[in-house]
Amino acid sequence: MSSPAPKSPELSDKSKKYDRQIRLWGEHGQTLLEAATVCLVNVTAVGCETVKGLVLPGIGGFTVADGSTVKEEDLGNNFFLDQTYLGKSKALACMQLLQELNPDVNGDYVEESADFILANRPNFFDSFDLVIASNLNEQTLLLLADRLWEANVPLLYCRSLGMLGTIRLQIREHCIVEAHPDNRQFDLRLEHPFDALREHLDGTEVTSKVPWLLVLHKYLTTWQKQQANGTPTPRTYKEKNQLRDTIRNEMKADEENYEEAIKAVNTAFGAGQIPTGLKSIFEDDACEQLNKKSNTFWIMAKALKHFVVHENQGYLPLPGVLPDMTANTDSYIALQHIYRQQALQDADQVYHKCQDYLKQLSLPADSIDERSVRLLCREAAGLAVIRGTRLAEEYEKSCRLLPLVEDNELQGNLTAYNFALRAYERFLSECGNIPGECTVEQDIGRLKSIAAKMLSDLGMHATISDDVLHEICRYGGAELHAVSALIGGCAAQEVIKVITKQYKPIDNTFIYNAITTESVTLKL
């Protein structure tokens, strides 16, 4: 009688609760999320939906800042306000109803407007990891954005008006270690095997039970001997077919590892080189010129560069990750062990160089731990740095805006709508009321003149069509919950990317039109 299979280790209540998302960004990503706090400025449907997307996965805490009270018109588009809160603080109502979604999350509220906070205690925002703002007038938005830029606090600004929605991310510098590329290439080093791998490959008999990597190495060696020009790996379609044919001709039956080796010819070579993105990081002034205020990312990046250039013949550290292979357990585990040991050795060398740099900078040795260095070495090929722009720069003359204009027309309806929404925000600041709230036709003329002056100030010789401006006024400042929910969901994802330092966030503007279900990302 066979013995029962061993039980899986019991998951903690927390792991059970967040199991799905931990599969996406790992325990370390969840830890960063649970340590983060965000502030929501201005209670709107899109703002509440954004925070909802952070409360559910367990953000550490959130604060709602709004000085207004709940009115009848607020109840039709915001699920996080109800009749029991009529006449009461919007910030309180929003905070209480959001916190009900996840008792593990700390909620707080401030019954003060953004204008009041900026005028009386601007340092209020400095302690947050990120600030979310929504549907502000132009003056308040620019004051808030400038204050957060000075404090180096990321700002995510969301708009939702009628069938339109936008997201704008303002962030000084964002360093990404785990970019999670869609098509990750496994770094196998078959063309330049390290000593332990070469010894294993040369000393293991190739049978139908070994991993395909050994099969491919055996016939790659045969193929290399046939090349008069000494080519180390097949590069052209013809050369790859020659290698496939060499393997296929040696098959004695339906051997799965041989079939897998044939399929792997396209993807098994070429990894380990310095990609363009990493090269630009190595050449960056922040990497070349370290100082006491340098982000630990740049210290690790310089140590990585030293390892690649001076100690590893131009190759990246070995990630130590193997793809699945059909093989017997012992042979696969033996191969896996060799790769993992080499990855640890490479990471250890980078770590020791990090410690040298920390010592030179008179920084604590525990500023960088081994786990962080191992992660950086494993993900070296996908490292990325995003340097954002101040939101205020969009309101100044800039050559970046010129490609958006052609034949005196803004390129694409989505671009036109984005500038129309900015004109709408300037209208709020200058006129003190919502365009289209009372007199649509009169407000269209005022909005048109504001939009024309705004584009002229930007140096853009273009116009926004009357149809677009009429559409903005027709909405009368109304939010549709379906549009706000979609924009809020997208915005919450961007916040999580910034906080966990995983995946690449938008750079820097996302625009959505629910009428045509079109969207576009622009760098403004």
Side-chain angles (χ1 to χ4, degrees), residues 383-395:
L383 298 183
V385 175
I386 292 175
R387 286 201 174 95
T389 57
R390 287 169 57 245
L391 198 144
E393 290 179 25
E394 293 180 28
Y395 295 78

Side-chain angles (χ1 to χ4, degrees), residues 249-266:
N249 292 337
E250 294 296 322
M251 287 178 63
K252 297 174 183 175
D254 295 332
E255 295 162 314
E256 286 188 67
N257 57 345
Y258 276 72
E259 292 286 357
E260 289 176 355
I262 291 169
K263 290 178 183 177
V265 168
N266 269 338

